[in-house]
Amino acid sequence: LRLRHDPLLRDVGQHAVRQLESFKAQDFANTIYGFGLLAKQPSELTSAVHKHVPHRLGEFKLQHVTNTIYGLGLLRCADAGLLRAACARLSENMPLLNEQEVSNTIYAFGLLAYRQEDFLEALCEQSSSRLVEFKAQGISNTIYGLGLLRFKHPQLLEALCVHLPSRLEEFGPQGTANTVYALSLLRHCNETLLDAACVQTRARLQSCLPQHLSNTVYALALLQHRHDEL
């Protein structure tokens, strides 16, 4: 519903701090995930979560870990110690992560500007052979997160450039714009994918927001890719 009631959220955050010892793993994940979706920063609560969660991550299911990271990413608030612990927990079970858990994690790390090279390398290598499992939003979030991190993984980028052109019709204007923008951040120019993105953008021009168009044109300029019809 994305309905914010700030006095209630403030009180919930303060109450949660006092009750953290009784929180189960899912309680942590749902609370931070919910605050993240509402873009409400409960500073006292997030500080407490940073201290309390790392030593309890063994209790978390993989979805709880990735939802916690994703919520903190949306809040632009995370502690390096917590993120290191989360990477260690996810690395133990990386093949079991589903496509949404993978894309949410990479997207959140991008928002948080958090790079753990070995973890990202392994996650990208695994994802490159699983793109058919990804929804459009997951692909867009994955490449956008990598772009924000300037983390260039040749194998995944090659797989994306082969896989994406035939699926861009599934993308909304923001997903297409974010994909092109991410490619520019990675300085990766693939003519086929960029042309397909330009065709999609042109077909949906009336649905594009100014930011979608400005980011697309800026990205094309950085990549020195001209598509005169667009």
Side-chain angles (χ1 to χ4, degrees), residues 11-200:
D11 292 347
V12 167
Q14 293 172 351
H15 181 73
V17 170
R18 297 191 292 270
Q19 300 293 321
L20 280 185
E21 291 296 336
S22 64
F23 269 43
K24 297 177 182 177
Q26 188 169 357
D27 298 328
F28 281 112
N30 287 354
T31 301
I32 293 300
Y33 187 76
F35 274 107
L37 291 178
L38 292 169
K40 175 63 178 176
Q41 171 64 266
S43 56
E44 187 177 354
L45 175 59
T46 51
S47 296
V49 166
H50 291 161
K51 296 176 183 177
H52 194 82
V53 167
H55 70 273
R56 292 191 57 187
L57 278 175
E59 306 169 28
F60 283 50
K61 294 181 179 179
L62 298 180
Q63 183 181 8
H64 299 153
V65 178
T66 59
N67 281 356
T68 300
I69 294 171
Y70 185 70
L72 292 170
L74 295 178
L75 293 170
R76 309 298 199 274
C77 177
D79 173 75
L82 171 55
L83 295 177
R84 281 195 300 272
C87 287
R89 175 76 175 88
L90 295 176
S91 293
E92 297 168 357
N93 300 278
M94 194 171 287
L96 301 179
L97 293 172
N98 64 37
E99 58 87 17
Q100 185 172 4
E101 291 162 351
V102 170
S103 62
N104 281 357
T105 299
I106 293 176
Y107 180 67
F109 281 2
L111 295 178
L112 295 167
Y114 181 76
R115 284 178 62 130
Q116 188 169 115
E117 303 283 335
D118 292 346
F119 177 79
L120 286 171
E121 185 75 28
L123 203 56
C124 289
E125 182 174 352
Q126 175 183 290
S127 300
S128 63
S129 61
R130 296 178 55 191
L131 290 178
V132 68
E133 302 172 24
F134 281 59
K135 298 180 178 66
Q137 183 71 56
I139 294 176
S140 175
N141 283 355
T142 297
I143 192 168
Y144 186 70
L146 294 173
L148 292 178
L149 291 170
R150 288 11 179 225
F151 188 83
K152 194 167 185 176
H153 189 275
Q155 182 180 346
L156 178 56
L157 279 174
E158 181 179 351
L160 283 165
C161 290
V162 171
H163 182 78
L164 274 182
S166 64
R167 292 194 58 188
L168 282 176
E169 289 185 0
E170 303 171 32
F171 284 52
Q174 182 177 5
T176 304
N178 283 354
T179 298
V180 175
Y181 184 65
L183 289 172
S184 74
L185 294 177
L186 295 168
R187 299 300 191 267
H188 188 80
C189 183
N190 181 279
E191 304 285 336
T192 302
L193 176 53
L194 291 174
D195 280 338
C198 289
V199 169
Q200 283 300 311

Side-chain angles (χ1 to χ4, degrees), residues 205-224:
L205 209 54
Q206 299 304 315
S207 302
C208 293
L209 297 177
Q211 186 176 13
H212 302 154
L213 298 175
S214 63
N215 282 356
T216 298
V217 173
Y218 176 70
L220 293 174
L222 288 179
L223 294 171
Q224 298 184 339

